Amino acid sequence: MKKLEHYFVTLNGWLLIAMMAGMTLVVGANIALRYSTGHSLPWADETARYLMIWMAFSGAGLILRSGGHVAITNLQDALPSAGQKLLRGAIVLGLLMFFGFMVYVGLQYAQRMQYQVTPALRLPFLYVYAAMPIGFLLLMIHLLLIAHPFITAGRYKRADDPDDAAATLPGGANG
C-alpha cells in the first residue's frame, strides 16, 4: 500500500510540474512573439488560465497532505487528548462529506457545460470544468491517505520525513 501511495503522490506531483512547464512555455512563447513580431498567440491567455485552474484543483490534495492549508487550532489546542482526536475525526468526516458533495456538484456543472466551447481553443468547457470534480476526488484520496495519522496524532505527511517514503514529491530531498 505504501508503494502505491508513493506512486500516486509522485504522479500527482509530476502532473503539476508538467502543467506548470506547459503554462510557462505558452506564456513565454507568447511574450517572445509579441515583442519580436508584434503579434501574439490568440489562444495563449486562455491556455494559461485553464492550466492554472487545473493546477489549483489538482495540487490542493498535495498541499492538504502536508498541512499547508489554513488551519485555526485554538479549539483543538484547548481540548484534552481524547477531545482532540474526536475533533480531528469530525473534521476529517466533515471534509470528506464536503469534498464528496463538491465532486457531485462539479460533475453536474461539467456536464451542463459540455456543449459550450471556449472562445479561442474551441475546446468543450467540459474539459475545463472537469478540474473541479477531479480535484475534489484527489482531495478525498489524499485525505483518506493521511486520515489515520492526522486523527490519532495530529500529524501530516511531510515531504522531508525520511520515515515516510510515500510523501516524497518529485524533485524533493528523497526524490
Side-chain angles (χ1 to χ4, degrees), residues 114-138:
Q114 68 183 333
Y115 300 112
Q116 289 187 348
V117 294
T118 62
L121 293 170
R122 310 303 298 164
L123 183 73
F125 269 110
L126 170 70
Y127 299 119
V128 177
Y129 289 110
M132 182 178 170
I134 290 172
F136 277 103
L137 183 63
L138 288 171

Side-chain angles (χ1 to χ4, degrees), residues 3-175:
K3 194 170 203 128
L4 185 61
E5 181 180 358
H6 171 72
Y7 288 133
F8 171 69
V9 170
T10 302
L11 178 63
N12 195 176
W14 278 111
L15 286 173
L16 286 170
I17 290 169
M19 286 187 268
M20 178 62 91
M23 189 172 77
T24 302
L25 289 173
V26 168
V27 171
N30 194 38
I31 291 169
L33 281 171
R34 189 178 310 134
Y35 285 106
S36 63
T37 66
H39 301 288
S40 59
L41 302 169
W43 47 267
D45 293 339
E46 195 172 285
T47 302
R49 181 179 321 120
Y50 299 149
L51 283 170
M52 180 63 78
I53 290 168
W54 270 92
M55 285 189 317
F57 278 108
S58 35
L62 289 175
I63 299 301
L64 175 79
R65 72 182 292 116
S66 64
H69 289 288
V70 173
I72 300 171
T73 61
N74 293 355
L75 175 60
Q76 175 185 297
D77 296 342
L79 294 174
S81 180
Q84 289 181 1
K85 289 178 185 177
L86 284 172
L87 179 61
R88 287 191 297 261
I91 289 170
V92 167
L93 185 61
L95 285 174
L96 283 172
M97 290 177 10
F98 175 71
F99 294 162
F101 175 73
M102 293 308 290
V103 168
Y104 172 74
V105 169
L107 284 171
Q108 285 186 326
Y109 196 69
Q111 286 173 344
R112 275 189 245 138
M113 300 303 289
Q114 68 183 333
Y115 300 112
Q116 289 187 348
V117 294
T118 62
L121 293 170
R122 310 303 298 164
L123 183 73
F125 269 110
L126 170 70
Y127 299 119
V128 177
Y129 289 110
M132 182 178 170
I134 290 172
F136 277 103
L137 183 63
L138 288 171
L139 272 162
M140 287 177 77
I141 294 168
H142 283 291
L143 181 60
L144 288 171
L145 290 171
I146 67 161
H148 184 264
F150 174 71
I151 292 170
T152 57
R155 286 188 332 109
Y156 295 94
K157 294 189 175 189
R158 302 221 180 259
D160 58 354
D161 186 359
D163 296 332
D164 187 14
T168 304
L169 297 175
N174 297 331

